[in-house]
Amino acid sequence: MELNGVEIEDTYAEAFPIKIARVLITGATKRWAQVAASEATGFGTSVIMCPAEAGIERFASPSETPDGRPGVYIQICTFGYKALDEQLLERIGQCVLTAPTTAVFNGLPEAEKQFNIGFKLKFFADGTESETEIAGKKVFKIPIMEGDFLAEENIGGISGIAGGNFFIFGDSQMSALTAAEAAVDAIAELEGCITPFPGGIVASGSKSGANKYAFMKATANEKFCPSIKDKVEGTEIPADVNSVYEIVINGIDEESIKKAMKIGIETAVTVPGVKKITAGNYGGKLGKYQFKLHELF
Amino acid sequence: MELNGVEIEDTYAEAFPIKIARVLITGATKRWAQVAASEATGFGTSVIMCPAEAGIERFASPSETPDGRPGVYIQICTFGYKALDEQLLERIGQCVLTAPTTAVFNGLPEAEKQFNIGFKLKFFADGTESETEIAGKKVFKIPIMEGDFLAEENIGGISGIAGGNFFIFGDSQMSALTAAEAAVDAIAELEGCITPFPGGIVASGSKSGANKYAFMKATANEKFCPSIKDKVEGTEIPADVNSVYEIVINGIDEESIKKAMKIGIETAVTVPGVKKITAGNYGGKLGKYQFKLHELF
Amino acid sequence: MELNGVEIEDTYAEAFPIKIARVLITGATKRWAQVAASEATGFGTSVIMCPAEAGIERFASPSETPDGRPGVYIQICTFGYKALDEQLLERIGQCVLTAPTTAVFNGLPEAEKQFNIGFKLKFFADGTESETEIAGKKVFKIPIMEGDFLAEENIGGISGIAGGNFFIFGDSQMSALTAAEAAVDAIAELEGCITPFPGGIVASGSKSGANKYAFMKATANEKFCPSIKDKVEGTEIPADVNSVYEIVINGIDEESIKKAMKIGIETAVTVPGVKKITAGNYGGKLGKYQFKLHELF
Amino acid sequence: MELNGVEIEDTYAEAFPIKIARVLITGATKRWAQVAASEATGFGTSVIMCPAEAGIERFASPSETPDGRPGVYIQICTFGYKALDEQLLERIGQCVLTAPTTAVFNGLPEAEKQFNIGFKLKFFADGTESETEIAGKKVFKIPIMEGDFLAEENIGGISGIAGGNFFIFGDSQMSALTAAEAAVDAIAELEGCITPFPGGIVASGSKSGANKYAFMKATANEKFCPSIKDKVEGTEIPADVNSVYEIVINGIDEESIKKAMKIGIETAVTVPGVKKITAGNYGGKLGKYQFKLHELF
């Protein structure tokens, strides 16, 4: 199968269940909402060694937020609800409560699982807190140095999906990278998914475990490493390919992941120098979700 | 004492020793270096509940970096060297090694304490790594999907200072916030210090412990909370002040903190609506450093 | 009438007919489309002394552009079609054709009036140009140093509206400015309108003509100048107001202007320190359009 | 000659005299200074069809500006002083006076030629203006809606240089473009020069006149167009090159241009996929300055 003259390999992305909380951060301006969101979602690429996977989902227009201000939806993801509860408290308490002009609202009010983060944050007010209502939502008002911080009582979490992905093969590093950036631009417009790696892009996709260093949980996937393609038996890198980037997508459901993979791939193949699109999987042995590339289109 | 018509209170900022590592991240472009630096320093405002305090120190011109590419100096800070070693490995391994086009160099090559982060990262290559030299520095070359990741063998750490600070009192929230942003703009040009909070600014300065909720390690400093000034006995908020922001500064030595406090305050007072500058301390009981505001000028 | 506790004056914005062309610029990434759009719409605040009024309307998702790449819609506005034809050729020829990775498409393909800008740009190819089709559109392919520049044959223009506006009164300069920025954030999401001034904001609203310097076409509207409110008879500035910003909106029809004024005002009044919203008019003597503030809500 | 394994052709950039004015724009924050600077330097790539060539030179620290605020130096360039006078008045009057929080100072106070732009701008105040002094400079205070706009009496201009340049040949378009961006990152740190094209980069370098369309002043330099290299006799594009970008540099003197070309080229060759660096000239027939590439290193 080809798209814009680029081969789409007949394979699938293998993905895993993960717990996801969704938080709406509003600010006096879009920029201040974004400053808080960036801090709150940093150090959040992969749960291999980060305390969470996290990212900005999309901007929210003032017309859709409870307080009528510009906002940003973020997602925070961990392998269990206990860790998620902790990460929510730590990341919102340290990176949003402390950030200029922000307020926090529940990004998944319909979810069965709710974390009472706003309730816990109110203790920071040391007795000066109060309760109020904004657009029908129960909100705590916490006096701080800048004025009042507003936090909705609960933040919802659900069982979502981590590790949706596709790989971009390029004739040069910068072709592949530009295609990756364009794919992330396209995915950034969507509802329900994040690309948690730096700039949304993975430069160093990994395999589970190791061939040589048994103490490593994850190591470079040498079959996808162009600089050693001549030395690796069974390399997956064609002669005319010199760089590969992976886009990793977490999302609240299968539909979100599929939409992101589809528009991401369609946009990536518009960049000159992209040679092939494929995806990462473990032969179906590890993850419960399989996203077949050919079925996206 | 007045500066540009603004009262500078006769007080001091009380600060603490902290361990600081300094890392130079280079990228194909300034923007890619910055993307990695933002991810690597996120979730890093305060060690109260973040695994480290971290921030971007300054940009590095291609003329001064070992590989001749644009770069960014970051600082990562923890209360001990063991935690620093772990944070360096986790943050560089997960947020820089994975980021497009980056390389990592030692930002404190002269320091006595050195962490062999590059040596540890090489195991990701699972046996395909090699050693090379760039500008006289020992560097590991780690084949990854985008090409090769280069990491200098060691990253240096020293005993530095956390919690340099000053407070900006404004007639309105946005006056104080704009002054805070201008102060951060000025400090961002300096060598040796970071402002680890979101956008460099603290909206919710805290006191140690609590009056009411004894289980809390830190709570809002109610004497500096304008929205409750009428209810708090001994409030520090004058009648014409409606908002306060704090700038917190970590730095590698006292000189760095002083320079940052000086230029930060000088720039803050150029913004209309700033009413007073003061600083936060614990009566000298907790921190070993005291930065007297009046001695800065 | 009040909105979020802020007085909305019972007045109207007076606006004028203007000719508007709408151009879709696509790029390899959103960022490159934006770089070209910024250059092409610069020096374009007011036709008083700029060759055109111009601005970025909104981003375009890869899913909606003819070439499947990220894009930006811009508007270019002049008082007549002849000037518009010239400005289109100059701004696209000098600021988009020269910009990395861009292509240009017709943003108003249904308009009766069409300017054959793509046809004219092809002469830059000096005989090496060719014709092609993208998504059913006639496009010229112009070989240039980076590769090929693609330009659709025509760019459409219509008779639109200039000078939709509202004024934000703030207790301090930074309150009013932050409210103005938030309003621009909200308007930036909309279809069909631009805010052509720097950052979308006017710091120095003017009156037609002059009291003292008869040779001036436009001068400061002294009744809205807070720093001289005590000296100006009939000042419109209340005692508690110390700064005013104006948002000027151009749009392709009345509906676009109304939507922008509505969401802009609703967002502005969420910022603390905003005291009043009003609008600018000339008593109905100059412009053919009147947008009554109270009818927006 | 080779640099980092990339051929530097033994040729020279041919450049021309141009008149240059240098303006310091300060703002409440760095960002607001930049917003005004971007608007004021837009539609300013080439005097072929733009009213001026213009660009941001560098940021100015609060410690070096007359009003102690963050600033941006811009340059505006035209072929004569009369046009420069007009462009200064129009661009500062329409794009800086109107921009939030800005002030304007003389960026070339030592120059013999001075334009009394501040004097002219004061008429906008319609009689409410006053004179003051900031850091020993004569400044007009112009009451406007946001507060007061401050403009120094004069802006200096000199005879500088336009058209310093170098060409980056890449194996793919994105290799060449990333190298161009990195070069611009490096040049942006320097004093005295600008890169006036969009993002600092030229995608469509031109030759003077035309082969086929005699009515054109400038057309594509077909010998440097990779997409038609197989059809153009005497093409300068090697078999392994698929894209070329040009960096054009204007500067206040020869030293500025040389420094920019040197660091720009040194940075460009660090990007993988760059195949060759050359420069554009007209055989020495048109411009009075020649910058030999080999003499830069």
Side-chain angles (χ1 to χ4, degrees):
Chain A
M1 181 183 175
E2 285 200 351
L3 216 60
N4 201 33
V6 176
E7 182 197 348
I8 311 298
E9 195 165 11
D10 187 9
T11 188
Y12 59 92
E14 192 172 338
F16 305 83
I18 202 164
K19 304 306 181 196
I20 299 182
R22 190 167 179 259
V23 184
L24 171 60
I25 301 169
T26 63
T29 62
K30 181 177 172 178
R31 191 171 62 96
W32 286 119
Q34 196 171 6
V35 163
S38 292
E39 185 71 42
T41 59
F43 189 30
T45 62
S46 161
V47 287
I48 294 176
M49 286 201 296
C50 292
E53 300 183 4
I56 291 176
E57 182 193 296
R58 69 170 178 87
F59 286 100
S61 164
S63 62
E64 62 173 306
T65 63
D67 60 1
R69 304 193 306 163
V72 175
Y73 280 100
I74 64 167
Q75 293 184 15
I76 297 174
C77 319
T78 63
F79 273 141
Y81 280 135
K82 185 165 175 298
L84 195 52
D85 196 11
E86 289 166 10
Q87 281 291 301
L88 278 169
L89 185 60
E90 289 171 16
R91 288 179 180 259
I92 297 176
Q94 295 277 283
C95 306
V96 187
L97 168 63
T98 64
T101 82
T102 53
V104 160
F105 297 96
N106 191 345
L108 287 171
E110 312 289 320
E112 203 179 315
K113 183 74 186 171
Q114 295 289 335
F115 302 97
N116 64 345
I117 301 301
F119 176 82
K120 284 174 184 154
L121 286 174
K122 78 174 180 187
F123 295 113
F124 183 74
D126 199 17
T128 70
E129 68 275 11
S130 59
E131 228 183 276
T132 185
E133 212 185 84
I134 295 181
K137 291 156 195 301
K138 185 174 170 184
V139 167
F140 293 102
K141 185 188 280 189
I142 301 171
I144 57 174
M145 282 184 5
E146 70 166 359
D148 290 318
F149 179 74
L150 299 173
E152 193 172 343
E153 184 177 28
N154 292 316
I155 301 290
I158 55 164
S159 193
I161 301 166
N165 71 78
F166 59 93
F167 289 17
I168 300 164
F169 283 35
D171 62 353
S172 76
Q173 190 181 358
M174 299 312 159
S175 302
L177 177 53
T178 306
E181 185 182 346
V184 171
D185 284 346
I187 294 169
E189 307 279 323
L190 301 182
E191 178 98 6
C193 56
I194 61 169
T195 52
F197 279 83
I201 300 167
V202 190
S204 58
S206 56
K207 65 177 184 287
S208 195
N211 301 322
K212 182 171 177 184
Y213 301 126
F215 54 90
M216 295 290 287
K217 270 193 284 188
T219 53
N221 195 342
E222 70 278 358
K223 290 186 180 168
F224 289 91
C225 291
S227 73
I228 50 171
K229 66 182 170 185
D230 296 341
K231 301 174 198 158
V232 173
E233 211 178 328
T235 183
E236 297 280 351
I237 304 298
D240 62 349
V241 168
N242 291 299
S243 189
V244 176
Y245 286 95
E246 181 182 359
I247 306 295
V248 167
I249 303 152
N250 290 8
I252 57 172
D253 55 22
E254 289 183 72
E255 210 47 52
S256 304
I257 304 276
K258 279 182 195 167
K259 277 187 188 161
M261 289 177 63
K262 179 176 190 292
I263 188 79
I265 292 171
E266 284 170 346
T267 308
V269 298
T270 65
V271 173
V274 172
K275 294 295 182 185
K276 183 177 159 179
I277 301 292
T278 184
N281 61 63
Y282 308 88
K285 284 176 292 186
L286 296 177
K288 107 182 196 197
Y289 300 100
Q290 297 185 5
F291 298 98
K292 295 194 176 137
L293 297 188
H294 285 195
E295 290 180 1
L296 297 171
F297 304 98
Chain B
M1 182 184 175
E2 286 201 350
L3 216 60
N4 201 33
V6 176
E7 182 198 348
I8 312 296
E9 195 165 12
D10 187 9
T11 187
Y12 59 92
E14 191 173 338
F16 306 83
I18 202 165
K19 304 306 182 196
I20 300 181
R22 189 166 179 259
V23 184
L24 172 61
I25 301 168
T26 63
T29 61
K30 182 177 172 179
R31 192 171 61 98
W32 287 119
Q34 197 171 6
V35 163
S38 291
E39 185 72 42
T41 59
F43 188 29
T45 63
S46 161
V47 288
I48 294 176
M49 285 201 297
C50 293
E53 300 183 4
I56 290 176
E57 182 193 296
R58 67 169 179 89
F59 286 100
S61 163
S63 62
E64 61 172 310
T65 63
D67 60 1
R69 304 193 306 163
V72 175
Y73 280 101
I74 66 168
Q75 293 183 15
I76 298 174
C77 318
T78 62
F79 273 140
Y81 280 136
K82 185 166 175 299
L84 196 52
D85 195 12
E86 288 166 11
Q87 281 291 301
L88 278 169
L89 185 60
E90 289 171 17
R91 288 180 182 258
I92 297 176
Q94 296 277 283
C95 307
V96 187
L97 168 63
T98 64
T101 81
T102 52
V104 159
F105 297 96
N106 191 345
L108 288 171
E110 311 291 320
E112 204 179 316
K113 183 75 185 171
Q114 295 289 335
F115 301 98
N116 64 345
I117 301 301
F119 176 83
K120 284 174 184 155
L121 287 174
K122 78 173 181 187
F123 295 114
F124 183 74
D126 199 16
T128 70
E129 69 275 13
S130 59
E131 228 181 277
T132 183
E133 213 185 83
I134 295 181
K137 291 154 195 303
K138 185 173 170 184
V139 167
F140 292 102
K141 186 189 278 189
I142 302 170
I144 58 174
M145 280 183 8
E146 71 168 356
D148 291 316
F149 179 73
L150 299 172
E152 193 171 344
E153 184 177 29
N154 293 316
I155 301 290
I158 55 164
S159 193
I161 302 167
N165 72 78
F166 59 94
F167 289 17
I168 300 164
F169 283 35
D171 62 354
S172 76
Q173 190 181 358
M174 299 312 158
S175 302
L177 178 53
T178 306
E181 184 181 346
V184 171
D185 285 345
I187 294 168
E189 308 278 323
L190 300 182
E191 178 97 6
C193 56
I194 61 168
T195 52
F197 279 82
I201 301 167
V202 190
S204 58
S206 56
K207 64 177 184 287
S208 195
N211 301 323
K212 182 171 178 184
Y213 301 128
F215 53 90
M216 295 290 287
K217 271 193 284 187
T219 53
N221 196 342
E222 70 279 358
K223 291 187 179 166
F224 289 91
C225 291
S227 72
I228 50 171
K229 64 183 170 187
D230 296 340
K231 301 174 198 157
V232 173
E233 210 178 329
T235 183
E236 298 280 351
I237 305 298
D240 62 348
V241 168
N242 292 299
S243 188
V244 176
Y245 286 95
E246 181 183 0
I247 306 295
V248 167
I249 303 153
N250 290 7
I252 57 173
D253 55 21
E254 290 183 72
E255 209 46 51
S256 304
I257 304 277
K258 279 182 196 168
K259 277 186 189 163
M261 288 176 64
K262 180 177 191 292
I263 188 79
I265 293 170
E266 285 170 346
T267 308
V269 298
T270 65
V271 173
V274 172
K275 294 295 181 186
K276 183 178 159 179
I277 301 291
T278 184
N281 61 62
Y282 310 88
K285 284 177 290 186
L286 296 178
K288 103 182 199 201
Y289 301 100
Q290 298 186 5
F291 299 97
K292 296 195 175 137
L293 296 188
H294 285 196
E295 290 180 2
L296 297 171
F297 304 99
Chain C
M1 181 183 177
E2 285 201 351
L3 216 61
N4 201 32
V6 176
E7 182 198 348
I8 312 296
E9 196 165 13
D10 188 9
T11 187
Y12 59 92
E14 191 173 338
F16 306 82
I18 202 165
K19 304 307 182 195
I20 299 182
R22 190 166 178 259
V23 184
L24 171 61
I25 301 169
T26 64
T29 62
K30 183 178 171 177
R31 192 171 61 98
W32 287 119
Q34 197 171 4
V35 163
S38 292
E39 184 72 42
T41 59
F43 189 29
T45 63
S46 161
V47 288
I48 294 176
M49 286 201 297
C50 292
E53 300 182 5
I56 290 176
E57 181 192 296
R58 68 169 179 88
F59 286 100
S61 163
S63 63
E64 60 172 308
T65 62
D67 59 2
R69 305 193 305 164
V72 175
Y73 280 100
I74 64 167
Q75 293 184 15
I76 298 174
C77 319
T78 61
F79 273 141
Y81 280 136
K82 185 165 175 298
L84 195 53
D85 195 10
E86 289 165 11
Q87 281 291 300
L88 278 169
L89 185 60
E90 289 171 16
R91 287 179 181 259
I92 297 176
Q94 295 278 283
C95 306
V96 187
L97 168 63
T98 63
T101 81
T102 52
V104 160
F105 296 97
N106 192 345
L108 286 171
E110 311 290 320
E112 204 179 316
K113 182 76 186 171
Q114 295 289 335
F115 301 96
N116 64 345
I117 301 301
F119 176 83
K120 284 173 183 154
L121 286 173
K122 78 174 181 186
F123 296 113
F124 182 74
D126 199 16
T128 70
E129 69 275 12
S130 59
E131 228 181 275
T132 183
E133 212 185 84
I134 295 180
K137 291 154 195 303
K138 185 174 170 184
V139 167
F140 292 101
K141 185 188 280 191
I142 301 171
I144 58 174
M145 281 182 8
E146 71 167 357
D148 291 316
F149 179 73
L150 299 172
E152 193 172 345
E153 184 178 29
N154 292 316
I155 301 291
I158 55 164
S159 194
I161 302 167
N165 72 78
F166 59 93
F167 289 17
I168 301 164
F169 282 35
D171 62 354
S172 76
Q173 189 180 359
M174 299 312 158
S175 302
L177 178 53
T178 305
E181 185 181 344
V184 171
D185 284 346
I187 294 169
E189 308 277 321
L190 301 182
E191 178 98 7
C193 55
I194 61 169
T195 52
F197 279 83
I201 300 167
V202 190
S204 58
S206 56
K207 65 176 183 288
S208 196
N211 301 323
K212 182 171 177 184
Y213 301 126
F215 53 90
M216 295 289 289
K217 271 193 285 190
T219 54
N221 195 342
E222 70 278 359
K223 291 187 180 167
F224 289 91
C225 290
S227 73
I228 50 172
K229 65 182 169 186
D230 296 341
K231 301 174 197 159
V232 173
E233 212 178 326
T235 183
E236 297 279 353
I237 304 299
D240 63 347
V241 167
N242 292 300
S243 189
V244 176
Y245 286 95
E246 181 182 1
I247 306 294
V248 168
I249 303 153
N250 289 7
I252 57 172
D253 55 22
E254 289 183 73
E255 210 45 52
S256 304
I257 304 276
K258 279 182 196 167
K259 277 187 188 162
M261 288 176 64
K262 179 176 191 294
I263 187 80
I265 291 170
E266 285 171 347
T267 308
V269 297
T270 66
V271 173
V274 172
K275 293 296 182 184
K276 183 177 160 179
I277 301 291
T278 184
N281 62 62
Y282 309 88
K285 285 177 291 188
L286 295 178
K288 102 181 201 200
Y289 300 100
Q290 297 186 3
F291 298 98
K292 296 196 175 136
L293 296 188
H294 284 196
E295 290 181 1
L296 296 172
F297 305 99
Chain D
M1 182 182 175
E2 286 200 349
L3 217 60
N4 201 33
V6 176
E7 182 197 348
I8 312 296
E9 196 165 14
D10 187 8
T11 187
Y12 59 92
E14 191 173 338
F16 305 83
I18 201 164
K19 303 307 182 197
I20 299 182
R22 189 165 178 260
V23 184
L24 171 61
I25 301 168
T26 63
T29 61
K30 183 178 171 178
R31 191 171 61 96
W32 286 119
Q34 196 172 6
V35 163
S38 291
E39 185 72 43
T41 59
F43 189 29
T45 62
S46 161
V47 288
I48 294 177
M49 286 201 295
C50 292
E53 300 182 3
I56 290 176
E57 182 193 294
R58 67 170 179 87
F59 286 100
S61 163
S63 62
E64 61 172 308
T65 62
D67 60 1
R69 305 193 305 163
V72 174
Y73 280 101
I74 65 168
Q75 293 184 15
I76 298 174
C77 319
T78 62
F79 274 140
Y81 280 134
K82 186 166 175 297
L84 194 52
D85 196 12
E86 288 166 11
Q87 281 292 300
L88 278 169
L89 185 61
E90 289 171 17
R91 288 179 181 258
I92 297 176
Q94 296 276 284
C95 307
V96 186
L97 168 63
T98 63
T101 82
T102 52
V104 159
F105 297 96
N106 191 345
L108 288 171
E110 311 291 319
E112 203 179 317
K113 183 76 185 171
Q114 295 289 336
F115 301 97
N116 64 345
I117 302 301
F119 176 83
K120 284 174 183 154
L121 287 173
K122 79 173 179 187
F123 295 113
F124 182 75
D126 200 16
T128 69
E129 69 273 13
S130 59
E131 228 182 276
T132 184
E133 211 184 84
I134 295 181
K137 292 154 194 303
K138 185 173 169 184
V139 167
F140 292 102
K141 186 188 280 191
I142 301 171
I144 58 175
M145 282 183 6
E146 71 168 355
D148 290 317
F149 179 73
L150 299 173
E152 193 173 345
E153 183 177 28
N154 292 316
I155 301 290
I158 55 163
S159 194
I161 302 167
N165 72 78
F166 59 92
F167 289 18
I168 301 164
F169 283 36
D171 63 353
S172 75
Q173 189 180 359
M174 299 312 158
S175 302
L177 178 53
T178 306
E181 184 181 346
V184 170
D185 284 346
I187 294 169
E189 308 279 322
L190 301 183
E191 177 98 6
C193 56
I194 61 168
T195 51
F197 279 83
I201 301 168
V202 190
S204 58
S206 57
K207 66 176 182 286
S208 194
N211 301 322
K212 182 170 176 184
Y213 302 127
F215 54 88
M216 294 290 287
K217 271 195 284 189
T219 55
N221 195 343
E222 70 278 359
K223 290 186 180 168
F224 289 91
C225 291
S227 73
I228 50 172
K229 66 182 170 186
D230 296 340
K231 301 173 197 156
V232 172
E233 212 178 326
T235 182
E236 297 280 351
I237 304 300
D240 62 348
V241 168
N242 292 300
S243 188
V244 176
Y245 285 94
E246 181 182 0
I247 306 295
V248 167
I249 303 153
N250 290 8
I252 57 172
D253 55 21
E254 290 184 72
E255 210 46 51
S256 304
I257 304 276
K258 279 182 195 167
K259 277 187 187 160
M261 288 176 64
K262 180 176 190 292
I263 188 78
I265 291 170
E266 284 170 346
T267 308
V269 298
T270 66
V271 173
V274 172
K275 295 295 182 183
K276 183 177 159 178
I277 301 292
T278 184
N281 61 62
Y282 309 87
K285 284 177 290 186
L286 296 178
K288 105 182 197 199
Y289 300 100
Q290 298 186 5
F291 298 97
K292 296 194 175 139
L293 297 189
H294 286 196
E295 290 180 2
L296 296 172
F297 304 99

